[in-house]
Amino acid sequence: MRKADQRKQAMNPNGEDQRKPPRFTLYKLWFYVLAYIALNAFSQFLTSPTAELDQSEQLVLSQSLQLGYASHPPLYTWIAFGVFIFTGPSLLALLVVKILILSSLMGLLIAVGREFEFSERQHLIAIIGVIFIPQFIWESQRDLTHSSLATMFAAAALLQTARLSRNPSVRNYALLGLIAGFGVLSKYNFLIYCLGLLLAAAFTPQYRKAVFRLPLLLSIAITVAMAIPHAVWASSHIAAAASSLHKIESISGKPLLGIGKTFAAVLVFLTPFWLAAVFLAGRKILLPVAQAGYRLFLSRLFLVMLGVILLFVLLSGAQKIKDRWFQPLLFFTPLLLALYSAPSPKRLRQFYGIGIVCALLISVALPMRTILAGYTERTNRLNIPFKASAAKLSQSIGSPAVIFAENRLLGGNMRLAFPSAAVITPDEPAPARIPSGKWVILCETINGQNQEFREWLKKQAHIDLKDLSFDSITQTYYYSQDRKYSLYWSAMNQP
């Protein structure tokens, strides 16, 4: 058969080529995404030596290997701990980890698209659709840790579920359990995603017959076995493990208020993505029979996920829902967009153009928000001169054995400057035994006037700040000469 005839046979009734693109084309698409993510990470690294909030958390927590850390599951911290064995505490190492996680997430979305027999047009719609979700294109590249890792495993679980519908082998069931286990160890709301994924499969005949077989018990057993050690830790550290629950501001008796806030958070998460979806609306959507089944599954997954989220809100009485929590729950919406849109060629080119322009603007905005702080008078954490302040501190005290930092952001950045010191903050559990040697108290409030910090120090280290005298270090903010940062410190020798 001639190539022209083959191409004609591959056309759907809309006149579009529905053939799956070759693997090389998809690898090339993934490489472009990887290069984009890496460019943004390194541009921020070159802009400022300061660690962001979530990065600082990992710098503090990764000082030891534990079954649990404060309010999050431990997987991300375990990864940081393992990387730091070879690199030492390093902001660059954390950025490389983030590059690998985000590029793997995008690679998994491409793999799911291939499993769903996407055409080249559909792959591009899905990848560019991600650009219109701020939590991915901005927040994940700026700082997020646990949410990004959980979303990567959520995408892997979706891919594995699709493969199970085609090949329900014991090996695939075991792999699904392994992926789910890693997801649970990444973020607690991954459990909500697992429930939604299973319910969506149950409501879709094609997936129900493949997924709900006896080997599914193997998947569940593997997931439970992986989660048990952390669950045992959580059961004996309930206050620490449940410390994030205060963020949802649980209030009983006001379910309608919680539901309203949930829908508002979903809308925020999907804005301006839903506007892009409306923009792509056009001709009647005519899909191959197989893709119609995939669209049915993803549509039901979306509706079921919303239902499970609302059930959680009703049962917990949650009143404060952050849009970032939807990352591992609704990450697949760009895939759904690719299956629901059949725009005209002109509208499609405009969609591509707008998406690429937005991506380029984000690449510029990520470092420039810090560089232009002096002109915009809007500083962010990357403008805080922690490294310069630590250099001045080092001249005065040398290398401390222990640093008591007033907050996590300060503590994480001090660990970058003093990698051999034990950094302890009120946000994380203090070690059972604090090393002896030179102890340094660091705070951003004048002479440690933060009452909570004072009480914490007295309880954890038997230090009364009333008995200490403080010195101060003042440095100019990076890129903002009009703003100053002051660090207050006191040192003592502890035998």
Side-chain angles (χ1 to χ4, degrees), residues 304-319:
V304 167
M305 202 63 69
L306 289 180
V308 173
I309 293 168
L310 290 176
L311 180 62
F312 169 78
V313 171
L314 287 173
L315 294 177
S316 66
Q319 301 295 304

Side-chain angles (χ1 to χ4, degrees), residues 3-71:
K3 288 186 177 180
D5 295 332
Q6 291 176 341
R7 189 179 302 110
K8 187 175 181 181
Q9 274 194 355
M11 296 292 183
N12 70 3
N14 285 335
E16 298 163 336
D17 193 344
Q18 285 293 323
R19 289 178 299 180
K20 294 168 61 175
R23 288 184 181 272
F24 176 75
T25 299
L26 299 183
Y27 288 145
K28 186 166 64 172
L29 175 60
W30 178 80
F31 176 78
Y32 290 148
V33 173
L34 170 63
Y36 174 77
I37 294 170
L39 171 67
N40 291 338
F42 289 128
S43 69
Q44 293 179 86
F45 175 74
L46 295 174
T47 297
S48 171
T50 299
E52 264 281 9
L53 186 60
D54 282 7
Q55 295 166 343
S56 297
E57 177 189 56
Q58 295 309 309
L59 286 162
V60 173
L61 293 179
S62 60
Q63 295 175 97
S64 62
L65 193 62
Q66 302 177 31
L67 290 175
Y69 304 87
S71 61

Side-chain angles (χ1 to χ4, degrees), residues 14 99 104 123 135 153 164-165 272 280 315 379 409 412 457 480:
N14 285 335
I99 291 169
S104 297
H123 277 291
Q135 280 295 321
F153 285 115
L164 271 176
S165 70
L280 282 185
L315 294 177
T379 57
L409 183 65
L457 268 178
S480 181

Side-chain angles (χ1 to χ4, degrees), residues 21 28 89 100-101 160-161 217 222 265 269 271 310 317 326 333 347 360 375 394 408 425 427 455 460 472 490:
K28 186 166 64 172
L100 294 175
I101 289 173
Q160 193 60 21
T161 302
L217 296 177
I222 291 173
F269 177 80
T271 300
L310 290 176
F326 294 110
T333 48
R347 190 67 66 87
L360 293 175
Y375 297 95
S394 180
R408 177 185 298 161
T425 73
D427 301 298
E455 293 175 358
Q460 294 293 337
S472 65
S490 183

Side-chain angles (χ1 to χ4, degrees), residues 44 60 103 121 153 170 236 393 435 486 493:
Q44 293 179 86
V60 173
S103 60
R121 171 186 66 84
F153 285 115
V170 172
S236 58
L393 181 64
S486 294
N493 288 315

Side-chain angles (χ1 to χ4, degrees), residues 268-287:
V268 170
F269 177 80
L270 293 177
T271 300
F273 174 80
W274 69 269
L275 294 172
V278 171
F279 180 82
L280 282 185
R283 297 170 294 172
K284 185 178 180 181
I285 303 166
L286 300 171
L287 292 175

